[in-house]
Amino acid sequence: MANNLSPSTSIQKALDIINCFTTKHPSLFLEDIVMKVNIPKTTVFRTLVQLEEYGYIKKVILEGKSSYSLGFAFLEKGQLVKSNLGIRELAKSEMLRIREETNLTVQLAIRDHAEAVYIEQFESWRPIRIYPNIGRRAPLYAAACPRVLLAYMDNEEQAILLKKFEFKKFTDSTPIDHETIHNILNEIRRDGFSISKGELFEGTTALAVPIFNPITDEVIASLSIVGMEQDFEQDYENYIDLLQSAAESIANKLNKKDV
């Protein structure tokens, strides 16, 4: 059956249907939903079928009739939202520990559409301050911390974003070639960490690792250290081990809090 609704209209109708379900009415028959949303029965049915395919609606047969309720996809997405809200506090002790051991700036970033947002940062005690502040945004293709979030994204969504990016050079080292970035993303997935040199600020180096949601196994944040090039002296292994250990510890904390 052809769908004559515009995308925005389709989304609005889907949201209207989802909003029919409440704690008082967790399950509804098709006729109940039609009465609540004042949408043609065929449109409601078609929308329910589409929502069911993506796991947002669950259908069971009661008394020979189809009864609908919210699907488990909402549980998964709800866990993801909780993780993002709580991760800043849960990561704090590990970030401070990393700063104590390295005297480098430690950053935590999450994804917001096509950008990374730095939601926490503990700066090095050194007097130089050239790193992103809390709330600063950066495109997902540039620098170690944002690129981790892009690398572990769903392949289809990643491909769409790479086509939509308006690539911009922040320094001469910022990669803007599609093939180069694609190769870097594959390396991140293979190695489990990201390295960037002077891509947002000249003379700096950053290392970053992913933090996984322990329930969905999705990457919900990236953890990084940033310093001047001479701070790393080409010996990244210890820093990477330190970051990965911290990321695992943060993920375990998320799991214990059932988020």
Side-chain angles (χ1 to χ4, degrees), residues 99-232:
R99 185 179 66 172
E100 287 286 338
E101 294 189 26
T102 66
N103 195 18
L104 297 172
T105 295
V106 188
Q107 298 173 330
L108 182 70
I110 61 173
R111 178 195 168 200
D112 184 21
H113 301 292
E115 296 179 309
V117 182
Y118 293 89
I119 61 172
E120 187 59 280
Q121 174 173 291
F122 295 101
E123 291 189 34
S124 165
W125 291 297
R126 295 169 181 148
I128 302 174
R129 299 185 60 184
I130 57 174
Y131 311 122
N133 294 318
I134 295 174
R136 169 80 182 260
R137 292 173 176 266
L140 292 175
Y141 61 84
C145 212
R147 212 153 43 227
V148 163
L149 301 173
L150 181 61
Y152 286 88
M153 196 180 300
D154 173 80
N155 289 337
E156 183 177 351
E157 188 176 11
Q158 182 191 102
I160 292 172
L161 276 180
L162 286 172
K163 290 180 180 178
K164 288 185 176 180
F165 281 134
E166 295 182 3
F167 293 104
K168 170 187 174 183
K169 269 192 171 291
F170 296 89
T171 71
D172 290 339
S173 300
T174 308
I176 59 172
D177 175 71
H178 185 282
E179 184 176 353
T180 299
I181 293 173
H182 188 267
N183 290 337
I184 294 173
L185 297 178
N186 287 337
E187 291 175 0
I188 294 171
R189 291 288 292 264
R190 182 195 67 203
D191 299 334
F193 61 88
S194 175
I195 299 176
S196 65
K197 297 182 179 181
E199 294 185 18
L200 292 179
F201 301 96
E202 295 281 3
T204 63
T205 294
L207 301 177
V209 300
I211 299 175
F212 290 90
N213 182 307
I215 297 174
T216 66
D217 204 34
E218 293 179 290
V219 170
I220 57 172
S222 56
L223 181 67
S224 68
I225 52 175
V226 187
M228 304 305 293
E229 290 180 3
Q230 59 268 27
D231 294 328
F232 292 87

Side-chain angles (χ1 to χ4, degrees), residues 83 86-94 250 253-254 257 259:
S83 297
I87 194 170
R88 180 177 176 183
E89 185 61 32
L90 293 176
K92 182 177 179 179
S93 62
E94 291 295 328
I250 295 167
K253 291 178 183 179
L254 288 166
K257 291 188 67 79
V259 297

Side-chain angles (χ1 to χ4, degrees), residues 45 49 52 57-61 66-69:
F45 177 76
V49 169
E52 185 182 6
I57 288 291
K58 180 177 65 175
K59 181 179 73 173
V60 296
I61 304 300
S66 295
S67 176
Y68 300 90
S69 60

Side-chain angles (χ1 to χ4, degrees), residues 16-28 33 36 48 57 68-70:
D16 287 342
I17 290 171
I18 289 170
N19 285 334
C20 290
F21 299 96
T22 64
T23 53
K24 187 176 180 180
H25 299 289
S27 299
L28 295 166
I33 300 172
K36 286 177 176 290
L48 286 168
I57 288 291
Y68 300 90
S69 60
L70 296 181

